[in-house]
Amino acid sequence: MKKLIYYTGLTLILVIGIILIVNRVAQKSAETHSKHSIFSWSDEVVLAEERPALLSILDRMDIGAIYQSFSKELLASQEAESFLSQMQEHTIDVFYLTGEAEWGLEADGASLKEEIMKVELLNQKVDKKAGLKGLVIDVEPYLLEEWDAADKKGKVKIIETFIDGLEAAYQVAKDKDLIMIVTIPNFYDRYSLYELDRLISLAGDGIAVMNYDRTDEYSQIENEVSFSKKHGKPIINIAELQQPGKHKLEDINTYYNAGLDELQKSWASLDERFQYPKLSFSYHYYDTLKELLE
C-alpha cells in the first residue's frame, strides 16, 4: 500500500512538473512572438544574394513576417521556391503581396481570385510548411479617376463594390486555407462606418492600415481597432519609411527623417493605449528600412 501511494505521488509530481514546463514554454513562446512585419516590393529581395542581408535585418528588428510581391517571372523561377524554404527554416512567415487599383471596381473579385490561384500553384511546388501563408491585398481604388470624379455617395459606392469583390475572393482564399489580409487607408471611416465594419467582419482575416500621418496616429486608427476588437480580427498598423518627396509624401507622412527610435516610441505608445493583443506593426518597406539601418 505504501509503495502504491509512493508511486502514485511520484507520478502526480511528474505530471504536475510536465504541465508547468509546458505552460512555461507556451508562455515564453507567446511572449517572444514577433509583433512586427515588413512589406517588400522588389524581386531582388527574394534572390539568394540578398537573403543574408534580409535575414540579418529581420532578426535585428524582430520581424516575423514578410509581405513580398512576386513578379510573373519570379513565380516561374526556382528562386521563389528556394526563398520560401529558407524563410521557413528561419521561422519567417511569407505572404503574397499583390494589388492593382483597378481591381477595386470588380464586384466579383475576378482578379483577386486569379492571384489566389497563383499562390495555390506556388504552394503546390514546396513543402506544406514552407508555403505562402496567404495574401496581403493592396488595392487602392481611391487612386482612380472614378474616385476623383465621384461625390461622397459615389465614393461610398466604390467602397461597397470593392468590399463585394473582397468578399467573393475571401471565400476562395478560405477554401484554399489561405489567410487574406486587406490593406486599407486610414480614412474609409470618413465615408462609411458601416462599410468599414463590413470590410473588417466579412472581407478578410484582418486588416493592415496605412497610418501615414504622424500628427494623430491614435485617432486615425481608433475606429479600425474598435471594429477589429468587435470581430476578434487582427489589425496591423503600417508606418511609412520612404523619403519625403516620393509619391507625394511630406515629412509628416513618414519616419524617414524622424528616425526609427521615434517610430519605436510611437508603436509602443499605440500598443499601450489600445491594449489589444491582436494589434501588430509593419514597416513600409524593406528597401528603405535597409537604407535607414546602414
Side-chain angles (χ1 to χ4, degrees), residues 126-140:
V126 298
D127 182 81
K128 187 176 181 180
K129 292 182 179 179
L132 290 156
K133 299 300 182 286
L135 302 89
V136 173
I137 306 299
D138 186 19
V139 174
E140 304 176 67

Side-chain angles (χ1 to χ4, degrees), residues 151-165:
D151 57 13
K152 183 175 181 178
K153 186 176 180 179
K155 287 178 170 63
V156 172
K157 181 62 179 176
I158 290 173
I159 294 173
E160 289 176 355
T161 301
F162 175 40
I163 298 172
D164 288 342

Side-chain angles (χ1 to χ4, degrees), residues 23 51 94 99 109 136 204 213 215 251 264 271 291:
N23 285 341
R51 289 180 213 161
V94 184
V136 173
D213 185 339
T215 57
D251 185 64
Q264 299 300 330
D271 206 25
E291 176 188 343

Side-chain angles (χ1 to χ4, degrees), residues 65-101:
I66 180 169
Y67 310 142
Q68 176 66 47
S69 66
F70 291 81
S71 67
K72 182 179 179 180
E73 294 75 21
L74 189 58
L75 286 174
S77 73
Q78 292 186 341
E79 287 279 8
E81 301 166 40
S82 172
F83 175 77
L84 291 177
S85 296
Q86 189 167 4
M87 292 302 107
Q88 190 272 329
E89 290 173 5
H90 291 268
T91 64
I92 303 297
D93 291 335
V94 184
F95 289 76
Y96 180 82
L97 176 60
T98 187
E100 297 291 342

Side-chain angles (χ1 to χ4, degrees), residues 197-244:
D197 189 16
R198 183 165 76 98
L199 188 157
I200 292 171
S201 63
L202 300 174
D205 294 294
I207 58 169
V209 185
M210 295 180 279
N211 199 1
Y212 294 170
D213 185 339
R214 293 190 285 111
T215 57
D216 189 5
E217 293 171 321
Y218 179 86
S219 296
Q220 287 160 182
I221 63 167
E222 192 171 10
N223 285 325
E224 290 80 0
V225 172
S226 177
F227 287 137
S228 296
K229 285 183 177 181
K230 173 184 173 182
H231 300 293
K233 297 289 184 77
I235 176 171
I236 303 162
N237 179 87
I238 315 170
E240 182 61 81
L241 299 179
Q242 293 185 85
Q243 188 173 7

